[in-house]
Structure formats: structure tokens, C-alpha cells
Amino acid sequence: MTRRGFLAGVGAVGALGIAGRVSAQTSAGRAVRFGVVTDAHYSTQKAAGDRHYADSLAKMRQAVDAFNGGGLDFAIELGDLKDMGKKPDLEETLRFLDAIEGEFARFTGPRYHVLGNHDMDCISKEDFLAHTENHGAAKGRRHYAFETGGVKFVALDACYNEDRTPYRCGNFDWTKAFIPDDELDWFDAELKKATTPVVVFCHQMLDGFSSGGELRGVFVGNWKQAVEMMERSGNVVASIQGHHHPGHYSFRNGIHYWTMKGMITGAHPPHNSFAIAEVSSAGAISISGFGDCRSSRLPKGRERETASERMTSFRSSIRSTARHTGLTHTITRLPDTSSSRHRL
């Protein structure tokens, strides 16, 4: 695929997202729109397999350009923003972090970060938070909650060892991630206070009930406690996650678990992965995927739409866009690389 073809496809999906925004606001009141990226793993080391570390700088630039044109309420990255060189080097790793954060900081609205395991490969959480910025009361926080447009968002930090010591400078096994008790207590209290739809963000996956050999080691170790709180609250509509680069989806008891495809996967161009998500005041979620990230509709209280249902909605969106703008577009779907195996 040519670079021009990829950029045309991105532009077309962006136009459809804008059209969708008009429709949602008209039919269901204000909808919250936000940009999402995960697993950029930026460093200058050479590509290894399908991990193209250095390309993530250009990929992030492309994502932020799309976000800035999308009328978004905020943007969030779900962890593993940076990587490191072949050997641990604090100063070099912080340069990688500053570079990729510089691209993310070009977003003109509020920004948020979720801590991922690679964010502490040879630095501490304090180092990471000192070189990045969360908006408002979330500044400097490892876990936090905020509300916008009638939706509550809660970001978790599951980067703790089994003994609940925090990940720091590579002192961890990435397959063992836990949420400490004090954070779970805080999480439960935040959910109990919620009177609106709630969306949870976490780097590692919370849907430990999912099956499949390829999913071993990607879940939060004490996911059951967190999920029980989410299900008991009655307000949580989705958990949006990273960590498992091929992406994943599951659904249980009214909650969607949408794991986003990692940005690092594949050379740029033609590959990239980012999304614009929209949450209605009723809690329905529509995700417009760019590049390798697949679009999804997550209706409130039931599983995501089937491929045929999505295609019907997709064609309807194209017709709606044409009516609103007088323009027509060709959407180009990029190759699917979801069968690849990754070191997380």
C-alpha cells in the first residue's frame, strides 16, 4: 500500500468520525469524544520482528494531527509510551520519553497517561510522571478519576508486583501485575459515587475470564476483585485496555472489555494504530479505528455488533457524510496482523 493510500484512508475515517459526532449530539444529547493510543514503545533501537520502535514518533505525530482535527474532549495513552535501548540507561530512556511525550503534547486539549510496565523498565514511576503531564487534578497521579460531559473516567495503575511493591527500574516480571489493596479501596469508592456511565482505563487486561493460550500473562493478577466491583456498581460500561498488542474483545454482565491494538506493530507507513472513541450520555460507545485498529460499536448492555451490522452502520455513515459534506471517500483497510505473537 502506498503512503498516499494510507493517508487517504485515515482522512476518510476522520471525516466519518466528525459526521458521527453530529449525529450523536443531535439524537442523544452531548457525546464525549476522546483520542486513544497505546503501546507506542518509542526508542531509537532497530526494529525487532514486527516491533518498529523508532517509527512510533511519526505514528504518534499522525495520531495527534487526527486528534487535533476531531473536536475531542481529551486524549489518553494507555501505557508503554516508551521503551529503552539494548541496555538500561536512565538518561537515554528519559530522552526517549521526552521525545514521544513531546509529540503527544502537541494535542491541544487535556491529556492523560496510564502507567504501563515498559514505562518502568529502567526508570521509576516518579521519573515517568515528572516527564509527562496529566490534566488538572490527575497531574502527578498514578491512578485518578475525572468527569466530562456526563461520563466518569477512572484510570488504574496495575504496575505492582505480587507483594504489592511498585514496578521500578525493571524489578518486575511483566506477566505478574497487581492492583494494591489501597487502590482497590479507592476504586470501589469512586464507583460507588458514580451516577453516570463509567469507563475504566488500564494498561493490563482486566477480563481474566477470557480464554486462549495467547492470553497467558496479560491479565491483572487480582482482576476478579476489580471486576466484581465494576459489575456490582451497575454503571461501568467498558474497560479500555492495552498491553496485548494484537488487541482483544470480551463481554460479561453488561461490560465491554476492549483491548486496543498496539501502535508499535508494523512499519510506518503503512501501519499505525490509534482511535477516536465516542461515549453517549446513555453509555453506548462507538470507536473509529485508524490504520490497523478496527472500528467497533459497543452498545450499552449487549455485545458489540457483528461484522454485518457494523458494515450496515458503516455504509450508513458514508451516506450521511456525503449528505453533510458533499464529498465521497474511498476507505482502505490495512492488512490484519492480529495473528502475530509479541513480547509485551
Side-chain angles (χ1 to χ4, degrees):
M1 175 176 294
T2 66
R3 178 183 178 86
R4 179 176 296 178
F6 172 69
L7 295 177
V10 167
V13 177
L16 288 175
I18 293 171
R21 183 186 186 204
V22 172
S23 174
Q25 288 183 333
T26 300
S27 62
R30 187 179 187 279
V32 179
R33 285 167 55 82
F34 58 94
V36 195
V37 298
T38 193
D39 292 270
H41 285 266
Y42 174 69
S43 78
T44 58
Q45 64 178 296
K46 294 181 180 179
D50 58 9
R51 291 182 170 227
H52 291 256
Y53 301 92
D55 287 5
S56 286
L57 211 60
K59 290 177 178 179
M60 184 68 76
R61 186 176 305 127
Q62 187 175 51
V64 171
D65 285 345
F67 294 166
N68 281 334
L72 306 186
D73 294 284
F74 65 91
I76 189 165
E77 66 87 16
L78 301 179
D80 285 2
L81 180 61
K82 57 112 201 116
D83 214 289
M84 66 177 189
K86 290 185 177 181
K87 296 181 180 180
D89 184 318
L90 185 144
E91 291 186 1
E92 179 185 55
T93 299
L94 289 177
R95 286 197 297 271
F96 297 153
L97 177 56
D98 289 342
I100 192 69
E101 171 69 2
E103 289 297 334
F104 189 50
R106 292 175 51 250
F107 178 63
T108 55
R111 290 176 290 114
Y112 298 94
H113 300 75
V114 175
L115 291 169
N117 50 294
H118 276 274
D119 295 323
M120 280 73 70
D121 48 18
C122 70
I123 64 175
S124 67
K125 294 183 181 183
E126 290 77 16
D127 293 329
F128 181 89
L129 293 171
H131 285 255
T132 57
E133 184 172 344
N134 287 332
H135 178 71
K139 184 175 182 179
R141 297 290 302 274
R142 301 177 183 186
H143 57 270
Y144 52 87
F146 63 96
E147 293 188 31
T148 185
V151 179
K152 183 167 188 171
F153 298 91
V154 184
L156 296 175
D157 172 15
C159 292
Y160 290 83
N161 292 301
E162 194 165 6
D163 63 2
R164 305 311 192 260
T165 56
Y167 285 10
R168 180 184 179 90
C169 303
N171 70 337
F172 56 87
D173 174 351
W174 66 263
T175 66
K176 297 178 180 179
F178 293 85
I179 302 172
D181 290 344
D182 59 342
E183 184 179 337
L184 283 172
D185 291 341
W186 167 86
F187 184 45
D188 195 28
E190 287 294 327
L191 294 180
K192 287 177 178 177
K193 290 189 294 185
T195 58
T196 63
V198 177
V199 174
V200 176
F201 298 121
C202 190
H203 178 66
Q204 294 88 347
M205 295 168 62
L206 288 170
D207 46 331
F209 52 83
S210 296
S211 61
E214 76 281 3
L215 297 176
R216 283 195 297 269
V218 299
F219 301 113
V220 174
N222 53 342
W223 64 268
K224 288 183 180 179
Q225 291 175 269
V227 168
E228 285 173 1
M229 294 173 182
M230 291 160 63
E231 293 180 349
R232 186 168 61 242
S233 78
N235 288 313
V236 178
V237 294
S239 175
I240 297 180
Q241 314 163 147
H243 196 47
H244 183 54
H245 296 180
H248 185 68
Y249 172 81
S250 65
F251 178 85
R252 192 176 91 168
N253 293 337
I255 301 174
H256 301 278
Y257 297 82
W258 187 77
T259 302
M260 187 176 189
K261 197 176 184 78
M263 176 176 275
I264 190 178
T265 304
H268 179 269
H271 295 281
N272 202 347
S273 177
F274 57 96
I276 291 176
E278 182 175 286
V279 186
S280 75
S281 57
I285 301 175
S286 177
I287 298 172
S288 297
F290 294 70
D292 295 340
C293 180
R294 293 182 176 179
S295 296
S296 296
R297 291 185 181 273
L298 312 179
K300 184 179 180 182
R302 62 184 178 88
E303 291 192 58
R304 66 178 175 181
E305 293 181 351
T306 64
S308 60
E309 288 173 324
R310 289 199 303 272
M311 183 55 69
T312 299
S313 298
F314 185 67
R315 288 168 177 160
S316 176
S317 295
I318 292 176
R319 290 193 293 270
S320 175
T321 301
R323 287 196 301 271
H324 280 88
T325 66
L327 300 175
T328 57
H329 303 272
T330 299
I331 308 299
T332 305
R333 180 174 293 279
L334 298 182
D336 177 33
T337 57
S338 60
S339 62
S340 301
R341 289 298 300 256
H342 304 264
R343 176 180 57 83
L344 300 178

